[in-house]
Amino acid sequence: MDSETETQRLKIPTPADFNFTECLAILGRSDQELLHTIQDERITKLLATEDEMVLFDLSHSGSALHIEFLHHPPTEQGKQAVVRYVKDWFDLETDLQPFYAMAASDPVLQEVVERHAGLRIMGMPDLFEAFVWAITGQQINLTFAYTLKRRLIEHFGTSHTVGGVEYWAFPSAETIASLEVEQLRTLQFSGRKAEYIIHIAEQITDGRLAKDELLEKTEQQVEKQLVAIRGVGPWSAHYVMMKCLRFTSAFPISDVGLHNALKHQLGLEQKPSIAEIENLAENWAGWQAYATFYLWRVLL
């Protein structure tokens, strides 16, 4: 997908089956979010690249995402880093037609997918951020998870103030690897979660855990490697595989949100069991991640 480059602007074509408004519904679900702001269907985000901080606005019109760089234009490397990030963030390079074809005749998904057509899995291109979010969200509600994420960013992230507004980027693995457990406990992370997050930060920092290497492996190989990490069970592994590594067959089947969504969508008196979900998902092979994400959408 080519981008059209100017000094302050870039354009990234979007697929025909892309709905920016639906994606914004996901991105705007919490007023605790610090990593981007949304106003008048424009996203403003600060991206930490290898060598520079890039602040940009993102909007959609005419079958393209439009990137406008704020404050000052980045280097050519910075521009290309933003393009790669945005394509990954919005999962623009996944062909959803096979998913839509499957969902059209699926009794669970048909109505949900039709209502929210064009929604893409809003990802986390940064591997460390995806792991932190997966571990933070274990066994707590979404509101408190966002509170912890906000505290982590405010204490250890990088900020850039433009026009009196402070924009934030997620803490680097290197920064978190240098912390003591107690420094995260003071933010109300549990001792275990603090240990897990710091341990993963250390593995990413010293190269034992790398996104590029994971992407070269099969789903089964990746799952085996991830669940071997302290604090990473099947749910967390599949969450990272779904949101960062883009395995469309990743399936966080034990997810409480998925269970609540199925209960709501199917009008059940109680949440379905794992066995019942496996039965409902028989048609979803290869697309479990997208089925899950569309079902999460009904809870907003």
Side-chain angles (χ1 to χ4, degrees):
M1 213 180 297
D2 294 329
S3 61
E4 181 177 300
T5 308
E6 299 172 5
T7 304
Q8 289 285 121
R9 293 181 176 84
L10 296 173
K11 184 166 74 172
I12 304 175
T14 51
D17 53 6
F18 177 78
N19 188 321
F20 189 58
T21 302
E22 279 291 332
C23 296
L24 288 181
I26 300 292
L27 293 176
R29 67 181 181 173
S30 174
D31 58 8
Q32 292 282 305
E33 181 60 69
L34 269 187
L35 295 178
H36 57 261
T37 60
I38 301 173
Q39 187 170 10
D40 300 327
E41 297 220 330
R42 294 178 71 89
I43 305 168
T44 305
K45 181 168 181 64
L46 179 65
L47 182 66
T49 72
E50 286 188 16
D51 302 309
E52 59 190 312
M53 306 295 292
V54 184
L55 184 65
F56 64 94
D57 264 356
L58 189 66
S59 59
H60 186 264
S61 65
S63 300
L65 285 167
H66 299 268
I67 298 168
E68 182 175 354
F69 297 107
L70 308 178
H71 191 44
H72 60 79
T75 63
E76 188 59 34
Q77 289 84 353
K79 290 178 183 178
Q80 292 312 311
V82 169
V83 169
R84 288 193 301 272
Y85 186 93
V86 170
K87 287 180 179 180
D88 196 352
W89 193 17
F90 285 83
D91 199 24
L92 293 181
E93 296 186 335
T94 295
D95 178 9
L96 291 188
Q97 287 310 303
F99 170 67
Y100 289 138
M102 176 274 289
S105 60
D106 186 88
V108 179
L109 298 177
Q110 182 179 11
E111 188 270 338
V112 178
V113 171
E114 189 174 302
R115 181 163 22 121
H116 301 294
L119 174 66
R120 299 253 154 181
I121 292 180
M122 295 310 305
M124 293 182 183
D126 180 69
L127 182 64
F128 180 59
E129 182 185 343
F131 269 114
V132 171
W133 188 234
I135 289 171
T136 301
Q138 292 171 2
Q139 299 179 320
I140 61 173
N141 64 49
L142 191 62
T143 301
F144 188 48
Y146 267 107
T147 299
L148 290 177
K149 176 184 173 184
R150 185 182 184 99
R151 290 173 184 168
L152 184 74
I153 295 165
E154 288 177 329
H155 280 77
F156 303 111
T158 306
S159 69
H160 189 52
T161 301
V162 175
V165 179
E166 192 170 21
Y167 299 96
W168 290 89
F170 198 77
S172 67
E174 291 79 4
T175 297
I176 303 302
S178 69
L179 301 182
E180 300 294 333
V181 167
E182 195 56 37
Q183 290 174 273
L184 294 184
R185 281 179 56 82
T186 60
L187 307 183
Q188 285 192 287
F189 283 87
S190 70
R192 286 283 180 86
K193 287 184 180 180
E195 290 175 10
Y196 299 154
I197 288 170
I198 292 171
H199 178 61
I200 288 170
E202 291 170 344
Q203 289 198 55
I204 290 176
T205 298
D206 65 23
R208 284 177 288 160
L209 191 57
K211 183 176 179 179
D212 288 348
E213 292 179 7
L214 291 170
L215 290 173
E216 294 175 354
K217 299 181 178 182
T218 66
E219 180 183 349
Q220 292 73 23
Q221 290 171 328
V222 170
E223 182 180 9
K224 183 178 180 181
Q225 180 175 342
L226 297 193
V227 297
I229 299 169
R230 288 178 57 228
V232 179
W235 176 84
S236 298
H238 279 265
Y239 184 88
V240 171
M241 291 161 66
M242 168 185 181
K243 296 277 280 182
C244 181
L245 303 177
R246 296 303 190 181
F247 286 98
T248 58
S249 52
F251 195 13
I253 195 169
S254 62
D255 184 79
V256 174
L258 172 63
H259 300 179
N260 287 331
L262 285 167
K263 177 177 180 286
H264 170 84
Q265 186 64 21
L266 299 175
L268 304 175
E269 291 188 4
Q270 58 189 19
K271 290 184 285 189
S273 67
I274 295 295
E276 288 170 329
I277 296 172
E278 288 173 340
N279 186 53
L280 291 170
E282 282 184 356
N283 294 332
W284 305 351
W287 291 102
Q288 294 94 325
Y290 261 91
T292 299
F293 200 73
Y294 269 75
L295 286 163
W296 283 345
R297 175 66 179 87
V298 307
L299 298 175
L300 295 184

